Amino acid sequence: MIDLSSLLTYAPDTTIRKTERVVEEARARGDQTAFLSHSHTDAVYAKRVQAFLEAQGWRVYIDWEDATMPSKPDKETALKIKDRIKRLDWFLFLATKNSMSSRWCPWEIGIADGVKANERIIVIPTRDGYTNYGSEYLDLYRYIHSTTDGGFATFDAGRAQNGTMLRNMRR
């Protein structure tokens, strides 16, 4: 689990970018790319996750940063989200109270489950105080957990040992 308050230590890039172009350029360079599924209510945490991963050399797609997305969710939104999930290297699910009760987030993880290899789906389980979110996914998908040295590693579904540090993950 990752304590939500610890995410706030990462300074986000507050500029809104045309993320689709940035991600395509990253793919061309061979950088890791990821779709970040999250509740828009948790935008502050999503930007912090993006900042942390980008410091590790990843490029993280956040749908509301994409200028080509419709202003109001519709069928076009769903088609674009499906396309991004399919094309990007990784699918990340930021599990919070808000994303667990969202209408879109469970749909997105369902899409990812159907189009991505299981090892390409990573849950970011969180904790706010005494409540944990995302635990039900830990036996299904890889997940991120904080390490004793202050870093983050991914662990295979159902395992709590022999994680891979995020900076060492490859396409």
Side-chain angles (χ1 to χ4, degrees):
M1 293 288 157
I2 297 172
D3 195 295
L4 284 172
S5 63
S6 71
L7 286 177
L8 297 177
T9 63
Y10 297 98
D13 176 359
T14 56
T15 61
I16 300 295
R17 297 165 295 173
K18 292 186 178 176
T19 313
E20 178 63 11
R21 188 190 82 244
V22 171
V23 169
E24 287 306 317
E25 290 169 0
R27 287 180 58 79
R29 286 191 309 271
D31 295 344
Q32 301 285 355
T33 60
F35 180 97
L36 179 59
S37 176
H38 65 288
S39 167
H40 287 200
T41 307
D42 293 326
V44 68
Y45 298 118
K47 288 297 289 179
R48 293 327 203 276
V49 168
Q50 183 185 50
F52 170 76
L53 289 171
E54 290 194 354
Q56 308 299 310
W58 291 46
R59 292 298 165 251
V60 178
Y61 176 87
I62 294 178
D63 61 353
W64 45 264
E65 290 183 330
D66 188 341
T68 69
M69 280 291 186
S71 57
K72 183 179 179 201
D74 60 12
K75 187 175 185 172
E76 181 184 355
T77 306
L79 291 172
K80 286 183 176 219
I81 286 174
K82 284 180 182 181
D83 177 64
R84 302 311 188 268
I85 290 170
K86 188 176 188 178
R87 284 190 309 138
L88 300 177
D89 298 319
W90 301 91
F91 175 87
L92 307 174
F93 179 74
L94 179 59
T96 65
K97 177 181 181 179
N98 296 318
S99 66
M100 298 302 288
S101 62
S102 163
R103 292 180 191 182
W104 281 91
C105 294
W107 176 81
E108 290 170 349
I109 201 167
I111 294 297
D113 189 78
V115 300
K116 299 210 103 32
N118 203 42
E119 62 271 5
R120 293 293 178 167
I121 299 171
I122 301 176
V123 175
I124 305 170
T126 65
R127 164 180 56 241
D128 65 1
Y130 297 105
T131 305
N132 297 333
Y133 301 101
S135 301
E136 55 271 58
Y137 293 116
L138 301 187
D139 286 333
L140 301 174
Y141 306 109
R142 294 174 90 173
Y143 64 95
I144 293 176
H145 198 285
S146 54
T147 60
T148 55
D149 63 359
F152 293 94
T154 62
F155 295 85
D156 290 336
R159 298 182 154 277
Q161 296 180 12
N162 302 324
T164 302
M165 295 302 290
L166 283 173
R167 66 182 166 272
N168 297 332
M169 294 185 68
R170 301 287 174 245
R171 284 174 102 184

